[in-house]
Amino acid sequence: MHRRRILWGTLSAIGAALTASRANAATEASPRKLKVAYHLTDLDKVNFVVGNIQNHLDGVGGPGNVTIALVVHGQALKAFHSAAANPDLSKHVGQFGKAGIELAACGNTMKSQNITLADLLPGFVAAERGGVVRLAELQSQGYLYLRP
């Protein structure tokens, strides 16, 4: 009986030490900075996705805590034509550019809409090989894929 108590006490102490060690390791490990690729193709979701990106930035404490890329193609790109963009969208895009968010416009969509980067809101870069190719590249670099 005495041996069981000693054995039980020893095992309990070892278990407590391991649990404490794991808890310390979890709190000491710094969270890694996530990389997120947002995919936008639907014109009717432009404001929703822009709002999601802003909420994402706010939720993690700012652009220094996350790396975000927005890849736009299809009908959604029409919302980012500088001649047609609403002022709120223009403001958000400007803030995103300053925050270091990659704003990529599909080169294939640009050709089909007969536009150049000069026709888009400032801050966009062309995904020359296509929006879906750019998304695949980002995912291969460890970006998480979101298509709201």
Side-chain angles (χ1 to χ4, degrees), residues 19-145:
T19 301
S21 174
R22 286 184 189 147
N24 286 339
T27 57
E28 289 174 6
S30 61
R32 80 179 182 167
K33 184 177 175 181
L34 291 178
K35 299 184 293 185
V36 181
Y38 281 85
H39 180 187
L40 176 59
T41 187
D42 299 321
L43 182 60
D44 63 336
K45 291 187 177 178
V46 169
N47 291 327
F48 179 72
V49 171
V50 168
N52 277 344
I53 292 172
Q54 186 61 57
N55 290 342
H56 197 147
L57 290 171
D58 295 344
V60 298
N65 299 317
V66 66
T67 301
I68 295 177
L70 171 63
V71 180
V72 184
H73 67 102
Q75 293 299 309
L77 192 59
K78 290 181 179 181
F80 297 93
H81 292 200
S82 53
N86 73 49
D88 286 339
L89 181 61
S90 298
K91 178 182 168 190
H92 277 293
V93 168
Q95 291 171 341
F96 291 167
K98 289 177 186 172
I101 293 175
E102 176 185 323
L103 304 168
C106 174
N108 297 324
T109 301
M110 290 172 61
K111 286 176 191 170
S112 73
Q113 293 179 5
N114 197 29
I115 61 167
T116 66
L117 284 176
D119 298 313
L120 295 173
L121 293 172
F124 272 89
V125 297
E128 294 295 338
R129 297 186 312 158
V132 293
V133 172
R134 183 64 187 138
L135 285 164
E137 291 169 347
L138 290 167
Q139 289 178 70
S140 75
Q141 296 167 18
Y143 279 71
L144 302 171
Y145 172 82

